């Protein structure tokens, strides 16, 4: 049994390391092929590293590269992650950030276009896909991801406000440096980045599930074998058409778990009526697997 667990852990580590490498390639493509030629700033610590490069090139004898700035700015956050989140999480975060810095520095850009709208859209899409893929596979890309996890664990609140303020600072800096049209182009890139990331990383999207069945025990056993979720049972519901007795089951899942829910329902009661809707807000405990 120990050998099997070691094999599983080794496979997970290889998957995470491979994902970190893929993310590094994608963020370097976004940076070197789109953002830099189009004078577009990214979000979060990456955008701050770009800003540091711009300021240092104008005010200092030595220019601090975006690759170096990205690594240096993340170092204090590595200590925060090590202390508050965990060793394994921090190690793979360091790997992803170091690989990203190396790839940004070493990948030779190919001149595609300097059109700011194209650069904003495609840079945001490429980076959003890379970041979403990393988060989906249980690794962080550093930066505000770390603060978001720590704040959510300690207070139950999201980092949304901090994200907005931080990114507004980046956008205003883009406006002062390249002109206000470029600030709005950067906003386009931020929106595209966020939308693509949400399409790929679905773990944080909550959905309410209502199941109407006449085989409640079988359905509950099957769902809980596939997904670690609590289920609320409403007995003695009545169908309006045949007036037969039904049971209503309620639960909340993440969009990431949708395929497992479908598999569980197919196994337990293919004829059950299942209604799924997006959840706007949850009060109370909702289990999230630890990273």
């Amino acid at each position: 049994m120990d050998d099997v667990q070691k094999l599983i852990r080794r496979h997970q580590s290889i998957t995470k390391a491979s994902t970190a490498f893929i993310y590094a390639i994608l963020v370097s493509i976004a940076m070197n092929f789109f953002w830099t030629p189009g004078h577009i700033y990214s979000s979060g610590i990456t955008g701050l590293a770009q800003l540091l490069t711009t300021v240092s090139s104008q005010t200092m004898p030595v220019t601090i590269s975006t690759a170096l700035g990205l690594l240096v700015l993340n170092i204090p956050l590595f200590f925060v992650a090590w202390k508050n989140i965990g060793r394994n999480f921090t190690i793979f975060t360091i790997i992803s950030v170091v690989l990203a810095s190396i790839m940004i520095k070493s990948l030779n850009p190919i001149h595609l276009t300097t059109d700011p709208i194209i650069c904003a859209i495609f840079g945001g899409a490429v980076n959003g896909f890379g970041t979403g893929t990393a988060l989906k596979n249980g690794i962080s890309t550093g930066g505000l991801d770390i603060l978001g996890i720590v704040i959510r664990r300690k207070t139950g609140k999201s980092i949304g406000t901090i994200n907005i303020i931080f990114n507004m600072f980046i956008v205003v800096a883009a406006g002062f440096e390249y002109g206000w049209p470029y600030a709005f182009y950067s906003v386009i890139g931020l929106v595209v980045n966020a939308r693509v990331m949400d399409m790929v990383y679905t773990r944080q999207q909550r959905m309410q599930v209502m199941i109407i069945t006449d085989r409640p025990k079988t359905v509950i056993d099957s769902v809980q074998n596939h997904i670690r979720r609590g289920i609320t049972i409403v007995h003695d519901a009545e169908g309006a058409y045949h007036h037969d007795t039904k049971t209503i089951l309620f639960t909340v899942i993440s969009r990431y778990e949708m395929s497992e829910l479908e598999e569980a329902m197919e196994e337990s009661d293919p004829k059950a009526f299942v209604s799924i809707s997006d959840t706007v807000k949850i009060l109370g405990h909702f289990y999230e697997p630890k990273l």
Side-chain angles (χ1 to χ4, degrees):
M1 192 66 179
D2 289 340
D3 292 337
V4 173
Q5 290 178 341
K6 288 180 180 178
L7 186 62
I8 292 173
R9 285 196 295 268
R10 187 179 302 137
H11 174 73
Q12 290 174 339
S13 297
I14 293 171
T15 300
K16 288 182 178 182
S18 302
T19 303
F21 182 69
I22 293 170
Y23 162 73
I25 293 174
L26 292 175
V27 72
S28 65
I29 290 173
M31 180 68 68
N32 293 336
F33 293 9
F34 298 107
W35 288 334
T36 301
H39 301 308
I40 304 299
Y41 281 142
S42 176
S43 61
I45 298 298
T46 306
L48 186 59
Q50 290 177 275
L51 181 60
L52 184 61
T53 299
T54 302
V55 172
S56 65
S57 67
Q58 297 174 349
T59 61
M60 297 171 61
V62 178
T63 299
I64 301 173
S65 68
T66 301
L68 178 60
L70 179 63
L71 180 60
V72 171
L73 290 171
N74 269 290
I75 289 175
L77 296 172
F78 293 155
F79 289 102
V80 174
W82 187 277
K83 182 179 179 181
N84 295 280
I85 301 177
R87 184 180 66 178
N88 193 55
F89 173 88
T90 306
I91 289 172
F92 284 105
T93 300
I94 293 172
I95 291 172
S96 67
V97 172
V98 170
L99 286 175
S101 298
I102 292 172
M103 294 304 296
I104 289 172
K105 185 67 176 177
S106 60
L107 185 67
N108 294 321
I110 299 174
H111 179 76
L112 300 174
T113 180
T114 57
D115 185 291
I117 295 180
I118 294 176
C119 290
I121 292 173
F122 281 89
V126 171
N127 184 72
F129 182 79
T131 304
T133 301
L135 293 171
K136 185 177 180 179
N137 285 277
I139 65 172
S140 166
T141 58
L144 298 185
D145 293 348
I146 295 172
L147 290 180
I149 293 170
V150 173
I151 290 173
R152 190 169 70 245
R153 285 188 178 180
K154 289 185 175 296
T155 68
K157 297 180 180 180
S158 72
I159 197 177
T161 303
I162 296 176
N163 254 314
I164 291 171
I165 294 172
F166 199 94
N167 289 331
M168 284 302 299
F169 170 74
I170 300 296
V171 167
V172 169
F176 278 112
E177 178 60 30
Y178 299 120
W180 292 107
Y182 285 93
F184 295 115
Y185 297 143
S186 293
V187 171
I188 293 173
L190 295 179
V191 172
V192 172
N193 179 83
R195 294 298 297 170
V196 173
M197 188 170 66
D198 281 343
M199 289 171 59
V200 178
Y201 177 58
T202 54
R203 235 180 249 273
Q204 84 285 11
Q205 299 174 30
R206 312 290 183 238
M207 310 188 76
Q208 179 176 284
V209 181
M210 180 182 70
I211 303 169
I212 301 175
T213 179
D214 52 11
R215 303 170 61 187
K217 187 177 186 310
T218 305
V219 171
I220 291 170
D221 289 343
S222 182
V223 170
Q224 292 187 328
N225 282 335
H226 285 78
I227 311 169
R228 182 177 173 179
R229 293 292 165 215
I231 298 174
T232 299
I233 307 170
V234 180
H235 293 291
D236 300 326
E238 182 181 341
Y241 190 71
H242 292 294
H243 297 283
D244 48 354
T245 301
K246 299 284 186 180
T247 299
I248 303 176
L249 308 175
F250 288 99
T251 188
V252 176
I253 65 172
S254 67
R255 190 178 292 274
Y256 181 78
E257 296 165 326
M258 178 72 76
S259 60
E260 293 175 275
L261 175 70
E262 292 174 350
E263 185 178 334
M265 293 308 303
E266 187 64 31
E267 289 177 1
S268 58
D269 188 1
K271 294 182 180 180
F273 179 82
V274 182
S275 174
I276 302 171
S277 57
D278 290 330
T279 299
V280 176
K281 187 175 183 178
I282 295 175
L283 300 177
H285 177 69
F286 181 83
Y287 170 74
E288 293 186 69
K290 289 188 176 181
L291 295 170

